[in-house]
Amino acid sequence: SACKLAKQAADDGEDILIAGCVSRTNYYNEGRGKERCQEEFKKQLKYYVENDLDFVVAEYFDHTDEAEWAVEVLKTAQKPVMATLCIGPKGDVDGVSPGDCAIRLAKAGANVVGVNCRFGPDNGIETIKLMKAALEKAGVQAYLAIQPYGYHTPDASLTGYIAMAEFPFAVEPRTLTRADCHKYALAAYEAGARYIAGCCGFQPMHIRAVSEALQDKRDGRVAPVTQNYGKWFNSLESQDKQSDRTKAEYWLSLCAATGRPSNPAISKPVLTEEEQLKESASF
């Protein structure tokens, strides 16, 4: 099973935690109700409990109430619970603000709340800042998590990439660089996130950059690839020890060209917000 494979892979490293995840159901949008949705969550949770995973996650929800239903089920495992929504600064598809989303999930029992997918790092950081402010104002405690889409989405609308003209087969020009991920990780940490990762579009090189950016925040711990080969921006030292390109400052300050002189920097949404709400259930 997937749980056993994950445990085998984790045996190769140190301090690796394994999570089991549940996500939104078709039953919610079909109007089948809380009990039917929770039946599905229970089916999945059964395997995570049997395999004694370290924590459980409810992710990629765009309706906060369905996410709350998932958290209620996951709590029964008596494991730490993380709950993330695929929302941006405007909130969920029902008009619930990011702050209220976070408060509701935390009160439902989530130890960690945040966002994942659909929106790039900048949108995600803006959203968790709103969550953090609301949690603090309400006196509700929860850690913050962020796992953004691996592409820049400054022009994202209510439902993120769904409305972008380039989605899904032409998003590559928006791909994050290693330096983007390095800067994202530090910005997310400063915004209050303590679970910092990536979602669709993130590759191993991106996660490596996140890990190295946060080395000083993690008592000096880095991934095995860094231990063996050094940081990503040091890889040119063997070719030219004098080059500025062996230094992080060069890459973090570089305004990278796209090589596409006729392309616009942003695009107009191809869906209205009403159309986005209809499409949201399909992605």
Side-chain angles (χ1 to χ4, degrees), residues 35-237:
E35 183 176 347
R36 185 65 187 89
C37 290
Q38 290 191 325
E39 285 178 11
E40 288 302 301
F41 300 142
K42 290 175 183 177
K43 289 179 184 178
Q44 297 172 71
L45 180 62
K46 173 178 178 289
Y47 297 104
Y48 305 149
V49 172
E50 289 176 352
N51 285 275
D52 193 27
L53 301 190
D54 298 298
F55 67 108
V56 284
V57 181
E59 73 168 10
Y60 200 73
F61 287 85
D62 51 5
H63 294 278
T64 304
D65 48 359
E66 188 185 16
E68 288 177 297
W69 299 347
V71 169
E72 290 172 6
V73 171
L74 296 184
K75 278 199 316 179
T76 65
Q78 297 184 322
K79 300 280 188 179
V81 176
M82 182 169 86
T84 57
L85 304 171
C86 51
I87 66 171
K90 291 186 177 182
D92 77 1
V93 294
D94 298 311
V96 181
S97 71
D100 286 342
C101 289
I103 291 170
R104 285 172 55 176
L105 292 175
K107 286 185 175 181
N111 308 98
V112 185
V113 300
V115 295
N116 81 288
C117 208
R118 286 202 183 171
F119 294 85
D122 291 344
N123 311 81
I125 289 170
E126 182 181 353
T127 306
I128 63 166
K129 284 181 177 179
L130 295 171
M131 289 182 163
K132 183 174 186 291
L135 288 167
E136 290 177 347
K137 184 176 181 180
V140 178
Q141 293 187 336
Y143 290 101
L144 288 169
I146 180 170
Q147 300 181 93
Y149 189 46
Y151 304 90
H152 292 289
T153 61
D155 43 352
S157 188
L158 176 64
T159 56
Y161 59 60
I162 290 174
M164 293 194 321
E166 299 85 3
F167 176 77
F169 298 127
V171 296
E172 289 84 354
R174 296 171 174 262
T175 301
L176 303 179
T177 66
R178 294 169 177 82
D180 289 333
C181 291
H182 189 106
K183 288 184 282 189
Y184 143 65
L186 292 174
Y189 189 92
E190 291 303 315
R194 292 299 179 266
Y195 186 105
I196 301 170
C199 202
C200 304
F202 267 72
Q203 302 175 42
M205 65 178 182
H206 295 132
I207 297 301
R208 177 182 178 183
V210 169
S211 171
E212 292 174 1
L214 297 173
Q215 179 176 353
D216 293 341
K217 312 294 185 184
R218 303 173 66 235
D219 299 322
R221 289 182 296 163
V222 290
V225 66
T226 305
Q227 295 173 4
N228 295 332
Y229 301 105
K231 295 187 175 181
W232 61 268
F233 48 79
N234 294 142
S235 60
L236 295 174
E237 284 187 343

Side-chain angles (χ1 to χ4, degrees), residues 252-273:
L252 297 179
S253 62
L254 178 68
C255 183
T258 65
R260 298 173 180 268
S262 61
N263 284 39
I266 59 175
S267 64
K268 294 181 179 180
V270 294
L271 300 174
T272 65
E273 288 201 352

